[in-house]
Amino acid sequence: MQTNAPQVAGRSARTGLMRHLELPAEVLLIGVLVSVASVPVVTSLAAAGAGAALLRELTETQKTPTVRRFFTLLAGSLRQPVVLLAPVVALAVAGVDMLALAAGVPGGRPIGLLIGLALMFVVLVGIRSAAQWRPGNAWRATLADAVESVPRDFTGSVMLVGALVVLGIVAFEVPAFTPVLPGLLVLAAVAVEGRRTR
């Protein structure tokens, strides 16, 4: 007996090989869009949030991601100044800390370890907040919730650290894959947050 794939608005039913290639291709598209939108750096959090929202639409409603929809979500995200300030503050703190280490402050090694842990915490907050953000939500509240969820969902945070390590290795070994890696990181973050909300 042969069954037909269900029809979903915005997506034609596909079978066989095409059905298995759609999700990877769409995740790669989202990765490229997030990479392009993150080039100014200050827009990286907003771009990741827009990518995560687009990915959730894909997985929850099977709505095909489009460039237009991504930039609509990005524009909505960028209307809140805190989403631009958060990456600037994180970069400023990291820069000052690195300068202090380069200057040879006493106790450099322990301080370096603490700075590394603090930067990892900041990165995890950024990733988790991007995965939690929904169109219309306030970034300030989303960031506050992400700060709490990093230690509260320690297992999920470890999973995201693992994803960062793997993607870092891939970027180092095969730099040509770098433009699509943000999509894979967003996919990992959305999966971790989805697991937490079940």
Side-chain angles (χ1 to χ4, degrees):
M1 178 173 27
Q2 185 175 8
T3 58
N4 293 325
Q7 289 277 358
V8 178
R11 176 189 290 267
S12 59
R14 298 191 190 252
T15 58
L17 182 61
M18 288 307 294
R19 182 168 51 96
H20 296 292
L21 292 178
E22 277 182 344
L23 181 61
E26 288 162 339
V27 170
L28 294 178
L29 170 65
I30 291 169
V32 170
L33 290 172
V34 171
S35 291
V36 169
S38 297
V39 167
V41 181
V42 295
T43 57
S44 56
L45 183 57
L54 200 61
L55 188 57
R56 265 194 314 275
E57 288 179 358
L58 170 63
T59 56
E60 293 172 2
T61 66
Q62 295 190 352
K63 183 177 178 183
T64 302
T66 63
V67 174
R68 176 180 288 195
R69 178 63 179 153
F70 174 81
F71 282 105
T72 299
L73 291 166
L74 180 64
S77 177
L78 288 171
R79 288 193 187 106
Q80 302 177 49
V82 71
V83 78
L84 294 170
L85 290 175
V88 171
V89 170
L91 285 172
V93 170
V96 168
D97 290 340
M98 294 304 165
L99 284 173
L101 285 176
V105 293
R109 188 166 286 183
I111 290 174
L113 179 62
L114 288 174
I115 289 171
L117 290 173
L119 287 176
M120 182 56 67
F121 180 80
V122 169
V123 169
L124 286 173
V125 167
I127 294 167
R128 296 197 84 142
S129 63
Q132 291 173 14
W133 181 79
R134 304 222 186 250
N137 284 5
W139 269 106
R140 187 182 305 274
T142 304
L143 284 163
D145 187 51
V147 167
E148 293 176 8
S149 68
V150 169
R152 187 174 60 222
D153 180 23
F154 185 74
T155 304
S157 297
V158 170
M159 290 178 184
L160 288 174
V161 170
L164 283 167
V165 169
V166 169
L167 294 177
I169 291 169
V170 171
F172 180 76
E173 294 292 333
V174 192
F177 285 160
T178 302
V180 299
L181 295 182
L184 298 175
L185 182 57
V186 167
L187 177 64
V190 169
V192 165
E193 289 304 316
R195 163 197 143 275
R196 185 171 77 98
T197 55
R198 279 182 190 150

